[in-house]
């Protein structure tokens, strides 16, 4: 079980929490979930595989990537999803916020290459008049420099790797601008995975993101009162 998952943990009635579990450990996670909640039935929904427990708790499980012509094997939807999640696939990660950035290549939850750094972008100011305009120009210049720098680093880190998916994260606007840079034009047609909600990127944040992006995403909803 991933250290980031809590299959039997009790939450507030009706609360939802997210866990990331690798494909190879998903069967064990499901067994512990069932033991903690009185067993479950499997529902194969359009948005993933849902475990509906006897006590009303549910777990929506989604594969980290689509089958893409490589369907999983197994006797039921959960086994097939776990098989897909366990397939070795390569993702390029681009994490960026105003306080820093991290780019990397992940496969089977492990970083093959990465680069992280800090680059300050000034926050918005409440000042008015010419001061506000001056701060706005400075902020825009800092953001442009950050975007160009991150795109250049990403192109270098991705080089020589067979990137099958892109996983942006952090600040949606900045990440989108990085992806649109000419330095990453060759990756414009690469499929994108779900956006990663991460804090200011650094080496530790990137390592966790690399593990999460290659793992099944599980949303556990506690039974309502």
């Amino acid at each position: 079980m991933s250290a980031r998952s809590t299959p039997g943990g009790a939450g507030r009635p009706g609360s939802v929490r997210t866990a990331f579990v690798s494909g190879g450990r998903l069967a064990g996670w499901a067994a512990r979930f069932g033991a903690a909640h009185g067993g479950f039935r499997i529902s194969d929904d359009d948005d993933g595989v849902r475990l509906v427990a006897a006590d009303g708790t549910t777990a929506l499980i989604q594969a980290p990537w689509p089958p893409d012509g490589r369907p999983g094997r197994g006797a039921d939807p959960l086994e097939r999803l776990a098989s897909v999640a366990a397939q070795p696939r390569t993702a390029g990660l681009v994490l960026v916020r105003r306080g820093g950035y991290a780019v990397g290549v992940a496969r089977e939850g492990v970083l093959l290459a990465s680069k992280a750094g800090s680059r300050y972008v000034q926050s918005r100011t409440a000042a008015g008049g010419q001061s506000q305009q001056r701060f706005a120009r400075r902020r825009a210049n800092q953001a442009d420099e950050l975007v160009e720098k991150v795109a250049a680093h990403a192109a270098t880190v991705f080089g020589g790797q067979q990137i099958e998916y892109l996983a942006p994260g952090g600040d949606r606007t900045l990440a989108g601008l990085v992806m649109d840079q000419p330095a990453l034009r060759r990756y414009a047609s690469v499929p994108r995975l779900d956006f990663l909600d991460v804090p200011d990127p650094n080496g530790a944040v990137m390592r966790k993101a690399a593990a999460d992006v290659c793992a099944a995403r599980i949303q556990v909803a506690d039974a309502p009162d």
Side-chain angles (χ1 to χ4, degrees):
M1 179 181 68
S2 166
R4 297 173 298 282
S5 63
T6 54
R12 298 186 306 276
S15 67
V16 178
R17 56 194 182 278
T18 301
F20 294 89
V21 178
S22 65
R25 296 177 177 177
L26 192 54
W29 188 96
R32 288 185 289 275
F33 174 83
H37 299 286
F40 61 81
R41 62 179 176 84
I42 299 175
S43 174
D44 191 5
D45 299 346
D46 290 340
D47 51 355
V49 173
R50 193 180 304 273
L51 309 185
V52 182
D55 66 358
T57 304
T58 63
L60 175 63
I61 307 174
Q62 297 171 306
W65 36 66
D68 287 345
R70 291 170 281 181
R73 298 180 179 181
D76 59 47
L78 179 60
E79 289 186 4
R80 290 191 288 274
L81 187 151
S83 177
V84 170
Q87 293 173 359
R89 303 192 187 183
T90 306
L93 289 82
V94 176
L95 313 179
V96 57
R97 283 191 177 277
R98 290 188 297 112
Y101 66 89
V103 296
V105 179
R107 186 174 179 86
E108 297 185 273
V110 177
L111 279 174
L112 304 180
S114 65
K115 169 73 175 178
S118 60
R119 187 80 174 191
Y120 176 72
V121 176
Q122 187 172 334
S123 299
R124 295 184 183 276
T125 177
Q130 293 183 343
S131 294
Q132 185 178 30
Q133 295 174 7
R134 184 171 63 253
F135 280 121
R137 287 194 298 270
R138 183 183 302 169
R139 186 175 189 274
N141 290 337
Q142 290 171 343
D144 289 344
E145 291 174 1
L146 173 63
V147 165
E148 293 175 4
K149 180 178 181 178
V150 175
H153 284 312
T156 299
V157 171
F158 294 173
Q161 304 284 350
Q162 187 63 41
I163 304 296
E164 298 176 80
Y165 305 97
L166 288 177
D171 182 290
R172 288 183 180 273
T173 299
L174 289 175
L177 291 172
V178 171
M179 295 293 196
D180 291 338
Q181 286 294 297
L184 296 179
R185 184 177 293 120
R186 62 177 295 188
Y187 302 102
S189 62
V190 175
R192 297 186 185 182
L193 301 177
D194 289 341
F195 196 87
L196 296 167
D197 184 13
V198 299
D200 281 346
N202 55 32
V205 170
M206 171 56 79
R207 288 190 293 273
K208 181 181 184 301
D212 290 350
V213 80
C214 297
R217 181 191 298 262
I218 307 174
Q219 291 180 295
V220 178
D222 293 301
D225 288 336

